[in-house]
Amino acid sequence: MRTRPLKVALLGCGVVGSEVARIMTTHAADLAARIGAPVELAGVAVRRPDRVREGIARELITTDATALVKRGDIDVVVEVIGGIEPARTLITTAFEHGASVVSANKALLAQDGAALHAAAEEHGKDLYYEAAVAGAIPLIRPLRESLAGDKVNRVLGIVNGTTNFILDKMDSTGAGYQEALDEATALGYAEADPTADVEGFDAAAKAAILAGIAFHTRVRLDDVYREGMTEVTAADFASARAMGCTIKLLAICERAADGRSVTARVHPAMIPLTHPLASVRGAYNAVFVESDASGQLMFYGPGAGGSPTASAVLGDLVAVCRNRLSGATGPGESAYAALTVSPMGEVVTRYHISLDVADKPGVLAQVATVFAEHGVSIDTVRQQGRQDGVGEASLVVVTHRASDAALTGTVAALRKLDTVRGVASIMRVEGE
């Protein structure tokens, strides 16, 4: 074993960063044995230097992150500060000054992953980011290494624990959205401002990363269709249960049937209770991968939190340090396929549409005619009179597979019918 330690600079010492530092200290001997050399925490860049940080020597703390990554003796920079800047500049500076990088920064990788990979390649350094997508769940490495010889056709997953907790609570207890969100906040699953989670921004960044790796194509955050889950209601769950389904906020990355294009999207969807993702409860994450040779694979586990995320960071750190010792680098960006990223309008799936209609003869025929005129085939229809409105009924239509553009045109035409009082909800049906 080499006795001279590999030096690590840590950018950020919040929930994840403090766990990374703790594990590096408490498991130092094991890490050294696995790597083939000791690893030494050489500096920790923070914004608030006066805060007490157990287990971290005071002399390691600095507010000058730029000076830390410019040190010529740093072997690996671990970036867990998040956001676009200064993280982007710090990472590229680290490459320029001879360090490889381990990051958990999903937003930056989804927006500028290609540029970061190019900088790493230019300087002959590693860029690893297992922790950016699903916490402790090994997912990035299986996609870009274990399945490198296979053809991935679909990645379907729950990649945000906050939203899964909220939807699971609504499903299991009948709670409304706000009530479930309040509980998630009280338990620490939701941030004070939960917008990034409940509006799908967090999941969309992860979808961009997953799609890029799975399909060997550059997919940026702007390419991902995003729809939040704040409008999901108890009535939607009742409709889902009537169909033998539940509702999840899904990240879906698909290769087109002709193999020439891909799509990436995030939105709430009904999935059958028989699908493995339907049983994912609480704040857990799970990702379902479908490929030619391997068939169907599922990756499941805690997708957030200090310890799970730190576990993924340390796994990357071990891999990067091993590469450092051998003088090699791991896999970089693979974007050779350069497939077209299609817009949401071309996505084909099933739909569940709930309409408020006049309760009188001929309404169903009018509605069916509109669907037919727009080329959308109906699978099932359920009509029920409503107790809260005289002369009104609820009409639920479940379609066969149709494009998003065709469905959008259908709904626009339905709104123009005098007998349609309103569109209560529209939800996609996935996982079949």
Side-chain angles (χ1 to χ4, degrees):
M1 179 186 292
R2 191 179 92 166
T3 57
R4 183 168 62 83
L6 292 160
K7 295 191 176 183
V8 178
L10 178 61
L11 308 183
C13 197
V15 173
V16 176
S18 59
E19 275 296 292
V20 170
R22 183 189 67 79
I23 295 172
M24 285 184 64
T25 302
T26 58
H27 295 178
D30 286 336
L31 291 172
R34 294 165 190 172
I35 291 169
V39 286
E40 174 188 309
L41 190 59
V44 182
V46 299
R47 287 186 298 173
R48 301 179 182 89
D50 297 330
R51 180 177 295 178
V52 176
R53 294 174 172 85
E54 283 190 31
I56 300 177
R58 182 68 185 82
E59 60 268 20
L60 294 180
I61 301 296
T62 178
T63 57
D64 193 343
T66 301
L68 179 59
V69 300
K70 283 183 175 181
R71 280 174 48 176
D73 62 336
I74 298 297
D75 294 287
V76 184
V77 169
V78 174
E79 182 272 310
V80 288
I81 56 177
I84 305 303
E85 287 292 356
R88 174 171 48 198
T89 298
L90 290 170
I91 289 174
T92 55
T93 301
F95 291 142
E96 292 166 1
H97 286 79
S100 290
V101 173
V102 173
S103 176
N105 196 330
K106 54 187 169 287
L108 177 58
L109 289 159
Q111 178 171 306
D112 288 322
L116 295 179
H117 274 293
E121 183 177 2
E122 178 185 355
H123 296 284
K125 298 297 177 283
D126 275 323
L127 173 62
Y128 275 53
Y129 43 89
E130 185 68 65
V133 172
I137 304 172
L139 187 58
I140 300 297
R141 193 171 288 113
L143 280 174
R144 70 177 185 176
E145 295 182 34
S146 304
L147 297 176
D150 206 343
K151 179 184 177 183
V152 176
N153 296 309
R154 195 176 198 221
V155 180
L156 172 76
I158 298 164
V159 294
N160 183 278
T162 300
T163 56
N164 198 59
F165 178 89
I166 293 170
L167 292 173
D168 182 39
K169 186 62 61 174
M170 292 175 70
D171 188 21
S172 61
T173 69
Y177 166 75
Q178 189 60 51
E179 182 183 352
L181 172 59
D182 290 344
E183 183 172 351
T185 304
L187 292 172
Y189 293 132
E191 300 287 345
D193 179 1
T195 302
D197 295 323
V198 300
E199 293 295 352
F201 291 101
D202 175 84
K206 296 170 181 177
I209 295 170
L210 290 174
I213 296 171
F215 306 131
H216 305 279
T217 293
R218 287 179 178 169
V219 180
R220 298 181 74 253
L221 182 58
D222 292 345
D223 296 321
V224 181
Y225 172 83
R226 178 195 54 79
E227 184 181 319
M229 48 152 282
T230 57
E231 300 301 318
V232 176
T233 66
D236 292 325
F237 274 102
S239 293
R241 283 190 289 272
M243 291 178 58
C245 293
T246 188
I247 299 172
K248 300 291 186 182
L249 184 76
L250 298 178
I252 305 170
C253 312
E254 291 180 305
R255 186 190 301 268
D258 63 8
R260 297 177 182 176
S261 64
V262 298
T263 58
R265 50 197 166 102
V266 168
H267 54 71
M270 294 182 180
I271 57 171
L273 294 174
T274 53
H275 194 283
L277 290 178
S279 61
V280 178
R281 312 302 296 267
Y284 275 70
N285 284 191
V287 178
F288 203 70
V289 178
E290 300 174 10
S291 64
D292 278 0
S294 301
Q296 298 178 333
L297 305 170
M298 183 164 160
F299 301 83
Y300 169 84
S307 294
T309 306
S311 172
V313 170
L314 267 295
D316 279 350
L317 179 63
V318 169
V320 169
C321 286
R322 286 172 175 168
N323 291 343
R324 192 84 172 183
L325 288 179
S326 66
T329 56
E333 182 188 33
S334 176
Y336 74 91
L339 301 175
T340 300
V341 182
S342 298
M344 186 63 187
E346 297 180 17
V347 169
V348 175
T349 189
R350 297 178 66 204
Y351 289 87
H352 176 283
I353 305 101
S354 180
L355 304 171
D356 295 328
V357 300
D359 190 5
K360 63 182 183 180
V363 173
L364 181 56
Q366 287 183 330
V367 169
T369 297
V370 170
F371 275 87
E373 288 174 346
H374 288 80
V376 179
S377 177
I378 293 176
D379 182 17
T380 62
V381 177
R382 185 175 74 252
Q383 185 170 349
Q384 182 177 346
R386 290 174 49 180
Q387 297 179 353
D388 59 346
V390 178
E392 290 189 0
S394 175
L395 183 65
V396 174
V397 178
V398 180
T399 74
H400 287 290
R401 292 175 64 84
S403 72
D404 187 81
L407 198 281
T408 299
T410 302
V411 172
L414 287 171
R415 294 182 189 276
K416 295 178 181 179
L417 294 178
D418 291 339
T419 51
V420 174
R421 309 297 192 220
V423 179
S425 70
I426 303 170
M427 192 164 296
R428 297 166 184 87
V429 183
E430 302 285 348
E432 295 186 318

